[in-house]
Amino acid sequence: MGAFFLRALLCAGLMAGASGFLAGPALPTGSRLLRSQGRSACAMKAEDSSSGEGRRAALQTLFLAAGAAVLPPLPASAALAPQGRSERTGPERSVPLGGREARRGPEGVNRPDLLPEGEKVNVIDLEKILTKGQANKMDKLLAKLEVDTGYKLRVLCQRYPETPGLAIKEYWGIDDKTIVMVVDRGNSKSGSSNILNFNVGGGVDLALPSVFFTRLRNFFGNSYYIRDYGEDVAVINTVDTIVGCLRDGFCIDVPDAMKKISAGTF
């Protein structure tokens, strides 16, 4: 019943046209695209949406069509900002950040000397937030995720501006199916800032839209969660949530089961 109501509500909004979502002058191209997506999704036969896969496909299509109405197109020339900046970038995007992150100074940090030597790893922990055992276990988990799903999740723990920065793009071979999770302690000693930032490739959108990362960040990265469970648990549970959602195929929020977990276990 909830899925039917959501579908009906989104269909009504989509068929009303882009002007129902956007302020200011109408955008003819965007309007036509939005209406086309709305008609395509809303015209699905009842028997198709009666199955679990059908319902999931319908909701994904409607959700992304509605998102296209409220989010501006991404600039094609922008570069990846692995420091976790707030701007939307190229095929990648980043989640909006708080006040401290917006004031962290000039961009363009490129410190390949801070990259680990030897065999490449999926987890770079410059701040020793994780124990060696935790980091090794996480590294193996992310390697298996890539083999099984094609998605690359990489973790960088840093204290800006002491970060490899742009050097990680080549080191990890970042592409449109890559998620870079930046755990940043920053310069603040107040403990009031969110430590989680994400840079997400455009190929991840269908599985994990932008709203998922915003909610994920707000749940696990806030100062209250860090105070109650610690930074290592926050990092581990965040990674576990992303891995689980990528394997399930679609998430727009932190699953209830993960919200109830109070210890960092894989």
Side-chain angles (χ1 to χ4, degrees):
M1 184 67 181
F4 176 81
F5 176 77
L6 176 60
R7 182 181 175 189
L9 180 62
L10 287 174
C11 283
L14 291 171
M15 298 308 291
S19 60
F21 294 94
L22 298 173
L27 301 177
T29 301
S31 299
R32 287 196 297 271
L33 175 61
L34 180 60
R35 291 192 182 100
S36 173
Q37 290 173 322
R39 284 195 296 269
S40 174
C42 297
M44 294 182 67
K45 295 181 180 180
E47 54 268 27
D48 291 336
S49 62
S50 63
S51 66
E53 291 299 320
R55 284 193 298 271
R56 173 177 290 180
L59 288 174
Q60 282 180 299
T61 302
L62 290 169
F63 181 86
L64 293 173
V70 297
L71 294 176
L74 300 180
S77 60
L80 176 68
Q83 295 95 325
R85 286 299 194 271
S86 59
E87 63 271 12
R88 297 164 61 81
T89 57
E92 303 92 6
R93 53 188 162 80
S94 17
V95 174
L97 307 181
R100 172 178 64 82
E101 290 87 346
R103 296 190 297 270
R104 285 191 301 192
E107 298 180 35
V109 175
N110 190 356
R111 296 279 307 276
D113 57 296
L114 292 179
L115 294 171
E117 298 179 354
E119 186 177 350
K120 289 187 178 180
V121 294
N122 301 317
V123 180
I124 300 175
D125 186 3
L126 301 177
E127 287 295 301
K128 307 301 180 187
I129 292 175
L130 303 171
T131 66
K132 180 176 282 190
Q134 288 173 328
N136 289 339
K137 193 171 184 179
M138 185 179 293
D139 190 272
K140 293 177 182 177
L141 179 77
L142 302 186
K144 190 171 190 313
L145 174 72
E146 184 177 356
V147 170
D148 293 345
T149 68
Y151 290 111
K152 294 195 290 188
L153 174 57
R154 302 293 184 259
V155 179
L156 171 63
C157 301
Q158 64 179 35
R159 186 185 295 270
Y160 187 86
E162 292 299 311
T163 171
L166 297 173
I168 67 169
K169 187 170 185 178
E170 181 178 350
Y171 178 81
W172 277 329
I174 292 173
D175 56 26
D176 67 347
K177 295 190 73 175
T178 302
I179 302 168
V180 178
M181 173 177 155
V182 183
V183 184
D184 186 12
R185 282 175 166 168
N187 295 315
S188 173
K189 297 181 180 180
S190 64
S192 61
S193 300
N194 197 303
I195 67 169
L196 298 179
N197 309 309
F198 301 93
N199 284 283
V200 185
V204 182
D205 277 330
L206 288 176
L208 305 177
S210 295
V211 66
F212 167 77
F213 290 99
T214 299
R215 291 169 176 170
L216 183 72
R217 181 175 186 269
N218 290 341
F219 186 84
F220 288 118
N222 70 78
S223 59
Y224 300 104
Y225 194 93
I226 302 301
R227 179 195 63 195
D228 291 343
Y229 303 115
E231 291 174 320
D232 60 334
V233 172
V235 172
I236 290 172
N237 285 344
T238 301
V239 167
D240 204 20
T241 299
I242 297 173
V243 169
C245 284
L246 286 174
R247 290 188 177 279
D248 287 345
F250 184 62
C251 281
I252 61 172
D253 199 357
V254 178
D256 288 340
M258 288 305 303
K259 290 181 179 180
K260 296 176 182 176
I261 291 179
S262 59
T265 57
F266 293 109

